[in-house]
Amino acid sequence: MLNKITYRPDHSLKAGMLVAGVILGLIIAFLTGKARFLLIIPVLSQYELLLFMFQSVLYPDEIKSLERLVTSARLTDTADNHTVGWYRASAVLILRMYPNHYELKINANGISNTTNIDKLANQVGSAFHHSAYLMRISNGYATYRIDLRNRKQRIHDNDF
């Protein structure tokens, strides 16, 4: 069974899509005479946020792991005074879940940390608490395999 999560760190309300949804909702509500379109279309315009919330309920551990990875590997460039939104650029992570392993595909998407995208295997493994290794790099994408059979060992003081 294959499940897929597309994770974008900038999950928030999209103002432009919300405005377009309200305008389209007004037009359709006026043409059909049904007021429910004033609510339905603006809510549907935020489909990425709704999808993220739905995936957060279905796959909480995977979403937390992806958030840990984005934070620890600095896969986002925060906004400055000249950009609109929270992030200037952020990597897009696509996680494909297979029964024995995960495949994580990272699209660097113009972030300043792109030169180190091929060296993230340790951080990917740390975020998911399993061993991970780089499978391939092509056209700005790095694909990692996360082996679910072997759990990463944690080091304790008693080991020394």
Side-chain angles (χ1 to χ4, degrees):
M1 179 176 189
L2 171 67
N3 294 323
K4 179 180 162 185
I5 297 174
T6 302
Y7 180 79
R8 291 175 178 83
D10 58 346
H11 44 271
S12 61
L13 283 175
K14 307 291 187 224
M17 292 297 291
L18 186 61
V19 169
V22 168
I23 292 171
L24 187 63
L26 281 171
I27 292 170
I28 292 175
F30 179 73
L31 292 175
T32 61
K34 305 216 186 253
R36 72 181 87 147
F37 290 110
L38 287 172
L39 293 174
I40 293 172
I41 296 184
V43 168
L44 290 178
S45 71
Q46 302 300 311
Y47 67 93
E48 285 183 1
L49 181 61
L50 292 172
L51 184 62
F52 173 74
M53 292 169 63
F54 184 66
Q55 288 176 341
S56 295
V57 171
L58 287 179
Y59 309 110
D61 295 335
E62 286 81 5
I63 294 291
K64 286 179 184 175
S65 296
L66 291 172
E67 288 175 350
R68 273 194 305 266
L69 176 63
V70 166
T71 303
S72 67
R74 291 178 287 143
L75 294 178
T76 59
D77 293 335
T78 56
D80 54 13
N81 293 335
H82 305 291
T83 58
V84 177
W86 294 1
Y87 297 111
R88 179 179 40 186
S90 61
V92 178
L93 292 85
I94 299 169
L95 182 68
R96 288 190 172 93
M97 297 179 280
Y98 297 97
N100 296 328
H101 70 279
Y102 292 162
E103 280 186 13
L104 178 65
K105 187 175 185 180
I106 300 175
N107 176 5
N109 201 22
I111 60 170
S112 61
N113 202 17
T114 6
T115 55
N116 298 323
I117 206 85
D118 59 340
K119 298 175 184 147
L120 287 178
N122 287 334
Q123 291 178 346
V124 169
S126 296
F128 283 89
H129 302 298
H130 290 282
S131 57
Y133 61 90
L134 179 66
M135 286 177 46
R136 66 185 160 275
I137 297 177
S138 64
N139 296 334
Y141 289 93
T143 305
Y144 298 92
R145 180 184 169 110
I146 303 162
D147 191 11
L148 297 179
R149 292 182 185 168
N150 300 332
R151 191 148 177 93
K152 221 177 185 186
Q153 297 293 325
R154 294 181 186 232
I155 299 174
H156 299 286
D157 289 335
N158 298 338
D159 295 336
F160 293 102

